[in-house]
Amino acid sequence: MNLPLLLVSALLAASVTPLALAEEIPPDVLVKSISEEVIAAVRHDKGIQAGDARKIAELVEARILPHFDFRHTTQIAMGINWRRATPEQQEQLTREFRALLVRTYSGALAGYSDQVIEFRPLRAQPGDIEVTVHSQVRRSGAEPIAIEYDLEKTGSA
């Protein structure tokens, strides 16, 4: 695994809280499905494999970012400083955080080379609003990297 994918792994573990949960799809199935879709797109698109920044950014925008609540995630990342920011500053911070994620995911996908993601069984109780999906990225000749996806059920679900 190269450095960009390691960076995404660390970013995922620290700051994708929350992802929106689809009402009828269990959280672990949702995360696995998104991961498989993105990996399949990378494997089948020569432009993405060649590092075409536009195609990679389009993939990130279409498949990954719709599952983020950027305002809430930025608020968590900012901690107490979020309340100190004006509404305009909060909006700007949210936009910049989103741009950071596009660049980070794009860099990771540009460096993808057949790593395998294994998902652990979900440990959640019926009615849980917040859950963590545990996974590991396995790569040849190296220790696996743990990634935790913190999800929160949102909307009218």
Side-chain angles (χ1 to χ4, degrees):
M1 181 179 293
N2 60 27
L3 185 57
L5 197 49
L6 286 172
L7 181 58
V8 167
S9 299
L11 188 61
L12 283 172
S15 55
V16 293
T17 309
L19 292 172
L21 296 182
E23 187 174 345
E24 58 282 332
I25 302 174
D28 54 337
V29 174
L30 176 65
V31 173
K32 185 175 182 177
S33 174
I34 294 166
S35 298
E36 289 172 350
E37 287 177 21
V38 170
I39 290 169
V42 170
R43 287 182 177 154
H44 292 98
D45 191 310
K46 299 296 182 196
I48 291 174
Q49 293 172 17
D52 182 327
R54 181 188 55 79
K55 283 189 160 200
I56 295 169
E58 287 173 359
L59 176 62
V60 170
E61 290 278 351
R63 303 292 177 126
I64 298 172
L65 299 188
H67 303 283
F68 278 84
D69 178 342
F70 288 101
R71 182 172 176 80
H72 188 70
T73 303
T74 306
Q75 183 177 358
I76 290 169
M78 293 292 299
I80 195 166
N81 292 312
W82 179 258
R83 290 189 305 240
R84 295 178 181 153
T86 66
E88 295 80 17
Q89 290 171 325
Q90 291 174 353
E91 190 61 37
Q92 181 65 30
L93 285 164
T94 302
R95 281 193 307 271
E96 293 298 328
F97 188 72
R98 186 179 194 286
L100 172 65
L101 285 179
V102 170
R103 288 190 304 273
T104 303
Y105 277 102
S106 294
L109 292 175
Y112 177 79
S113 61
D114 291 325
Q115 292 86 13
V116 175
I117 303 173
E118 296 176 351
F119 290 88
R120 303 284 188 221
L122 181 65
R123 292 186 181 162
Q125 300 298 315
D128 282 354
I129 295 173
E130 295 180 0
V131 299
T132 300
V133 176
H134 298 273
S135 70
Q136 285 190 332
V137 177
R138 296 215 175 260
R139 53 214 164 104
S140 180
E143 290 293 317
I145 296 174
I147 301 176
E148 295 180 352
Y149 302 87
D150 295 316
L151 293 88
E152 179 182 33
K153 193 173 225 177
T154 62
S156 61

